[in-house]
Amino acid sequence: MTVSPPSTDAPGAAEPSGAAVPSEAAEPSGAAETVGPTAPVDVADLYLKHIGSGRAVMGRVMGGMAEVRSEGAWIHADDGRRFLDFGGYGVFILGHRHPAVVEAVHRQIDTHPLASRVFLEPVAARAAQALAAHTPPGIDYVHFVNSGAEATEAALKLARAHGRTSVITTRRGFHGKTLGALSVTANDTYQTPFQPLLPDVTQVDYDDPADLEQALAARRDRACVIVEPVQGEGGVRIPRPGYLRQVRALCSTYGALLVVDEIQTGMGRLGTWWGVDAEGVRPDVLLAGKGLSGGVVPIAAMAATAEAYGPFSRDPYLHTSTFGASPIACAAALATVRAMETENTVARAAALGLRLRAAVREVCAPYRGGLVREVRGQGLLIGIEFAEEQAVGELLLELIARGVLVNHSLNSTRVLRLTPPAVVDDEELGLFLTTLAEALHSTAGRMSG
């Protein structure tokens, strides 16, 4: 995979005939990455030498191209093709490079990109106010960090500050891979190489209030419970109605701190601002990320009630980060919230999600009981569960070859996950469904043969 320097005087060639859709304007001839003034770059070779052999091999398996540009629902590769992005791991609820978010970040870079951390910083304050306007009532305090895993770490430390040193997590739950977050990410594949992890962490079954109550009863007044409204990496597992209300009630009864991880499910992904909104649940701590960035500058947050946030509120140096709440990241978050308000993104995600889920079920119907076990989802978080793990890899590669990107699920290897942006239009939706039908047909034929 060799990337040439961009042309400065002539457009590149039109997209090859195998592209997902006809080319719009002609693409530049390559990415901006160069070695010296003119030398092309073999990106896969650089990965192999400086980032990791596994990632280099994976890149070649996926087709060997490098992504160099994006907008809306599309990612452009260095070979001239473009790919419809129905993946993105939940980050691009507004699509790629939303104009309002990009403009806000540009403006912030031109004025004050990073703060001294000595004085008050107005962009962070306004971003916190904007986010808190949409969190459940009473969750008014916001601690900005750089990633979802950092938000989990902040929540675990806040729980410790309250004496909640015993943590209860759910099987197949995913909360990040830094050491503390990994301790509550229930997957032996990721945990085993790094043990011992945090002590006193208990796993309970998801959507099983009785199992949770048994664990809480043994840890009265010293437990922290962390749970997702829908398990995304767990394979888009949706609990029965009332589950979150039962979790809230049990935490209140046994004196536990409730942390709801909305890093993937929040910011409109489920067709509501937060997954807890459907049941009117107010956690003590709510984690936000992915969509909060607007798909431009990474940012995440831990939001909490005044009582829960008390230790961090009283001592601003108890948990700090050099780049946490940076002006450029907070400018992106503020612009994201404002864009979602203006464009009714949450309602659009709900409506588009209903259409997409119904259409995906229809496309998958001929394969139900064989290749496909189930299609499930909420809002724009949809999972296709297959009978065999191999089918996920086969279908993913088939879709990439046809110009569509989707995700696998880290904690559920038989589930292919769709997390498209809410900006997808009818033509793009139709293209995805046609491509999915073709890829399923090819995958089914190959696996049956």
Side-chain angles (χ1 to χ4, degrees):
M1 174 174 58
T2 301
V3 178
S4 302
S7 171
T8 58
D9 55 2
E15 293 179 4
S17 58
V21 296
S23 173
E24 32 178 45
E27 299 296 326
S29 60
E33 180 70 61
T34 62
V35 176
T38 58
V41 171
D42 186 328
V43 179
D45 186 57
L46 292 182
Y47 265 78
L48 181 64
K49 293 177 179 177
H50 302 293
I51 294 180
S53 58
R55 189 64 184 87
V57 170
M58 185 183 302
R60 293 191 190 279
V61 169
M62 295 297 180
M65 69 287 292
E67 55 187 83
V68 296
R69 187 165 66 84
S70 60
E71 78 282 319
W74 296 92
I75 290 176
H76 298 255
D78 60 326
D79 62 2
R81 288 184 293 170
R82 64 175 186 164
F83 295 82
L84 183 61
D85 189 6
F86 267 53
Y89 295 97
V91 171
F92 300 102
I93 189 70
L94 291 180
H96 293 266
R97 291 198 304 116
H98 188 283
V101 183
V102 170
E103 193 278 331
V105 171
H106 273 297
R107 185 170 61 247
Q108 194 63 45
I109 290 173
D110 289 339
T111 54
H112 189 54
L114 292 178
S116 70
R117 305 193 65 83
V118 174
F119 304 118
L120 300 176
E121 204 287 294
V123 183
R126 291 199 296 270
Q129 179 189 39
L131 184 62
H134 295 284
T135 53
I139 298 185
D140 298 323
Y141 287 82
V142 179
H143 179 86
F144 287 115
V145 292
N146 303 292
S147 69
E150 287 185 44
T152 302
E153 298 284 350
L156 293 173
K157 287 185 68 177
L158 184 60
R160 291 255 176 140
H162 284 282
R164 294 343 192 255
T165 57
S166 181
V167 185
I168 301 173
T169 188
T170 58
R171 295 185 176 92
R172 287 206 223 173
F174 189 94
H175 306 286
K177 291 181 182 174
T178 52
L179 199 63
L182 181 60
S183 300
V184 294
T185 291
N187 187 322
D188 289 341
T189 300
Y190 306 125
Q191 288 187 337
T192 299
F194 305 102
Q195 290 176 339
L197 299 170
L198 289 184
D200 203 0
V201 176
T202 301
Q203 297 179 15
V204 299
D205 286 338
Y206 187 67
D207 196 18
D208 189 339
D211 199 17
L212 175 61
E213 182 168 20
Q214 184 176 1
L216 283 169
R219 296 162 180 82
R220 184 181 289 270
D221 296 325
R222 60 183 184 89
C224 166
V225 174
I226 183 166
V227 66
E228 299 158 275
V230 172
Q231 287 190 328
E233 296 290 354
V236 192
R237 298 185 66 211
I238 302 170
R240 288 165 290 185
Y243 171 64
L244 291 177
R245 282 197 301 271
Q246 290 176 291
V247 172
R248 172 70 275 179
L250 287 170
C251 287
S252 298
T253 298
Y254 290 98
L257 189 79
L258 175 58
V259 177
V260 175
D261 181 346
E262 297 255 24
I263 292 165
Q264 182 168 173
T265 57
M267 299 298 294
R269 177 56 58 185
L270 299 184
T272 51
W273 270 95
W274 311 101
V276 295
D277 291 349
E279 296 189 6
V281 168
R282 186 187 77 177
D284 301 298
V285 178
L286 181 143
L287 308 183
K290 295 191 184 292
L292 183 60
S293 72
V296 177
V297 177
I299 187 171
M302 178 194 74
T305 64
E307 182 180 0
Y309 197 72
F312 282 18
S313 182
R314 291 188 294 271
D315 185 351
Y317 296 104
L318 196 61
H319 183 68
T320 59
S321 166
T322 298
F323 295 111
S326 70
I328 50 174
C330 288
L334 176 58
T336 297
V337 173
R338 295 290 182 246
M340 290 180 64
E341 293 169 343
T342 301
E343 299 173 13
N344 295 316
T345 300
V346 175
R348 180 171 175 79
L352 181 60
L354 285 173
R355 291 177 60 198
L356 178 60
R357 191 163 66 251
V360 169
R361 282 176 175 154
E362 184 176 349
V363 169
C364 291
Y367 309 98
R368 287 292 301 272
L371 183 69
V372 176
R373 282 189 173 177
E374 185 182 16
V375 176
R376 55 181 178 265
Q378 191 171 329
L380 290 175
L381 177 58
I382 297 170
I384 306 173
E385 183 173 350
F386 292 87
E388 298 179 39
E389 181 179 332
Q390 179 188 351
V392 173
E394 295 281 352
L395 183 60
L396 191 147
L397 292 174
E398 285 285 347
L399 288 168
I400 289 176
R402 289 169 167 80
V404 170
L405 303 181
V406 295
N407 297 140
H408 63 288
S409 298
L410 291 175
N411 277 359
S412 188
T413 55
R414 292 202 308 267
V415 177
L416 198 73
R417 196 154 37 102
L418 313 178
T419 53
V423 300
V424 168
D425 62 26
D426 288 349
E427 182 178 354
E428 291 162 340
L429 180 61
L431 174 63
F432 170 76
L433 294 169
T434 298
T435 306
L436 176 63
E438 293 170 352
L440 277 168
H441 179 75
S442 179
T443 299
R446 187 160 56 252
M447 292 195 66
S448 64

